[in-house]
Amino acid sequence: MAETKTDTSTEASEPTCIRIFDTTLRDGEQSPGATLNLQEKLKIAQQLALLGVDVIEGGFPITSVGDFEAVRQIGQSVDGPIVAGLARAVPADIDRAGEALRGCPRPRIHVFCATSKVHREHKLRKAIDEIIRISIESVKQARQYVDDVEFSPEDGSRTELEILRDITAAVVEAGATTVNIPDTVGFAVPSEYGEIFRYLRQQLPQLDAKDVYLSAHCHNDLGLAVSNSLAAVANGARQVECTINGIGERAGNAALEEIVMALRTRRDYYNRFTTRINTKRIYPVSRMVSTFTGLHVQRNKAVVGENAFAHEAGIHQDGVIKFRGTYEIMDPRDIGVPESKLVLGKHSGRHALRQRLAELGFELDAEMLEKVYTAFKDLADKKKDVYDDDIEAIVDDLLQQGRSLWELVRFQVISGTGVISTATVELTDTTGERRMEAATGDGPIDAIYSAMQKITNVPLEVEDFETRSVTAGKEAQGEVSIQGRHNDRKVKGRGLSTDVVEAAAKAYLSAINRIKTVEDRKQAAAALNGNGGATAP
Ligand code: MN
């Protein structure tokens, strides 16, 4: 597609289409506590394609069999976007990425090598000439596999401008088609970060001549990831790397939904730019990522947070009732946020449920629909009014269960004042075998957790326990989120039920299942080779 590049806002040409490079499945999955299995990654990738992202970074193939398979299967099954695999500037990494992308219709290898002084001196222990030489060779090697090669000078925002210029010129000469300048440690501020892009475009006319894409990749350590990304766009970046819900290493990456909605809501200001994102798909994919990773979206999170469109102050409510535009700059429907209204009750049929699910962004197969219907009927028996949030919660819960290794069969607790809390729990493992244990504890939940620990034999120390109701009313569904520690690793779990004790039991089990997923993956990785210590931009 021919894209006009506009340096000045006075030029009245077609707006530049900013490429949205989604790294939820790579950088996002590096979030502490988040792990995704292959099925989850494939489901998210399909949603990302429907959302309209231009590039999906599926993983870092050399690091594990799981990442290799994710890149391979996304590359072969997902229609539309370019699929990227990450590689260090190391021959084995590039070979592995090339292998993972074999058969992918739109493959990209993303090579990175650190360039900042602190990384040169303390991590790589190499001089810049050597780094440039390795980078050139790596890009050439990647070009033997694919025509689309991205290069990232890791810690780019802390690299001297002249060095960034020289390495960019060198890798473009070697065949890189996108050069990404990562703010790996979230240190940059907007004007300074934007200046890097202005400088590179001014110094290197070959970028325009060869139609090379400059790209932004920002971390949110100072809360500036989105601002920095927008500053880069205003100064000539034509690709932005981001994640759903802003998940990622440490404080996370720039949030896709915030960048896209800033460009869209402020078209009056950013009229030179557009994206291919179908914004109505934002909310469903945000929910899916939150469910699969176990990373809650904070209530006041921009665009997708629960309170993003809630008006509390009386004067605001009055204004919004008279005219939404008084206090509302975005229409929640544009993001695909369903209006939470009373929809279904006990007498609603499958058809009504399927229709409502479709409106909520869930397209389920017949088997899954039947499961949702059964759970819905159960819930409608317990509570009169079933809201959209309840239905979403049921689907989220079932999606989690669908991949469960351990499943809850039943439990019984005895608890009260002056009574030793005692729990009896029965679970099934993957083979379908039932196992039962009893334990005492400091309260009913503690007793259940002790019994589960006996059955599963997985040590898990619960550090944080949070409960909230999904909808209003006495019979509302309760959601329990826990954060625990397994050896040295943080792990999260989530469970849902109208019975908060049962929700707590499910949350614990989902954490146990997550630990199992990670361990399976580690074993697979160890079986491949002893490749450790791979960091990423
Ligand atoms: Mn990163």
Side-chain angles (χ1 to χ4, degrees), residues 33 460 482-486 489-493 511 514-515:
L460 173 65
I482 63 164
Q483 187 173 298
R485 189 165 287 279
H486 170 69
R489 205 189 159 88
K490 272 189 184 168
V491 57
K492 288 169 188 276
R514 213 173 274 279
I515 292 166

Side-chain angles (χ1 to χ4, degrees), residues 300-367:
N300 62 331
K301 164 83 175 61
V303 184
V304 292
E306 202 180 318
N307 292 353
F309 297 99
H311 302 280
E312 181 69 27
I315 196 166
H316 288 206
Q317 285 178 346
D318 181 55
V320 167
I321 289 164
K322 285 175 179 151
F323 177 63
R324 295 196 84 94
T326 49
Y327 289 98
E328 211 162 82
I329 61 164
M330 289 177 272
D331 185 336
R333 285 169 301 187
D334 288 346
I335 296 146
V337 177
E339 284 171 79
S340 195
K341 57 187 177 200
L342 177 67
V343 272
L344 301 167
K346 195 172 172 158
H347 303 293
S348 307
R350 279 180 185 75
H351 182 72
L353 179 67
R354 183 170 55 216
Q355 178 138 5
R356 197 64 200 145
L357 285 165
E359 283 163 17
L360 293 169
F362 295 110
E363 276 142 42
L364 306 175
D365 57 26
E367 189 192 343

